[in-house]
Amino acid sequence: ATGSTFDLVSSSLAVPEATTFNVQSGIAKDTLIMASAHHVKWKSAQIVAVSSDGTGILNNGSDFSDSTGYSLGLGRKLSENTSASVTYSWEKGTGPTSGSPFTLRDDSQTLSIGVKHTIEALSISGGLSYTKAGDVDVTHAPTSMTASYTGSSVTAFGLKVGYNF
C-alpha cells in the first residue's frame, strides 16, 4: 500500500487537572470495602494537531468533556501471606456520537481482580482487568465521513515481583 505523509505545522496538548477521593473500611474480619470517585477536567486539556497538507482534512482537534468515574471493590485477606481483591468500575461517557477522532468510546465498565502473595521478603502480585467500552460513531467534520466503533473491549494483565531488603 502506498501512503502519504504530512508534517505537523503545530500541535498542542495539556495534562488535565484530576481529583480522586478514596475511602475504605473494614466490614468483617480480614475484609475491606473500598470505593473511589475520580473527576478529570478534560475540557481544559484538548489536543490540537494541524498538518501542512493545505486542505484542512488532516487537521484534528479533540472535544473532550469533563468526566467522573466510580469504583467499588472488596479486599480479603485469605491467609497470613495471601490477599485478593475484586473491583467494579464505571465511567459515564459523553454520548454515542462524537466529532473528534480522539474520542473513540462512550461509557465504560471494568471488572478487575488481583492477588498478592508474600514469602518472607519476596512478594508476587498479579491482576487481570477487563473493560467494555461503549459504542460510538465518530464523524470527521471536513470530510463528513463516519467511523463506527462497536463492541470494543480491553483486557489487561499485570505481574509484579518485589523484594524487600
Side-chain angles (χ1 to χ4, degrees):
T2 303
S4 300
T5 60
F6 298 96
D7 293 327
L8 284 178
V9 174
S10 66
S11 63
S12 64
L13 61 101
V15 176
E17 180 181 322
T19 304
T20 303
F21 179 70
N22 294 309
V23 294
Q24 71 178 27
S25 179
I27 57 171
K29 185 177 190 280
D30 298 330
T31 304
L32 287 175
I33 189 167
M34 305 161 284
S36 71
H38 183 73
H39 181 74
V40 182
K41 293 184 178 180
W42 286 108
K43 284 187 182 227
S44 63
Q46 303 298 325
I47 298 172
V48 177
V50 179
S51 70
S52 63
D53 75 329
T55 67
I57 292 175
L58 299 177
N59 297 346
N60 289 305
S62 61
D63 188 18
F64 300 139
S65 296
D66 293 354
S67 67
T68 303
Y70 304 94
S71 68
L72 183 62
L74 286 173
R76 176 95 174 140
K77 181 178 175 183
L78 304 175
S79 71
E80 285 304 311
N81 298 334
T82 306
S83 59
S85 66
V86 61
T87 305
Y88 173 74
S89 304
W90 64 97
E91 182 177 329
K92 177 127 178 76
T94 57
T97 60
S98 173
S100 169
F102 295 105
T103 306
L104 302 180
R105 68 155 183 86
D106 191 15
D107 300 353
S108 67
Q109 299 180 60
T110 302
L111 184 61
S112 303
I113 57 171
V115 176
K116 180 177 182 180
H117 184 72
T118 304
I119 306 167
E120 296 179 16
L122 178 71
S123 66
I124 302 168
S125 304
L128 179 66
S129 179
Y130 174 79
T131 300
K132 174 72 174 116
D135 300 342
V136 68
D137 290 331
V138 179
T139 302
H140 189 251
T143 63
S144 296
M145 295 186 333
T146 298
S148 295
Y149 295 88
T150 60
S152 299
S153 65
V154 176
T155 302
F157 173 76
L159 182 65
K160 175 183 171 184
V161 176
Y163 187 79
N164 294 321
F165 52 94

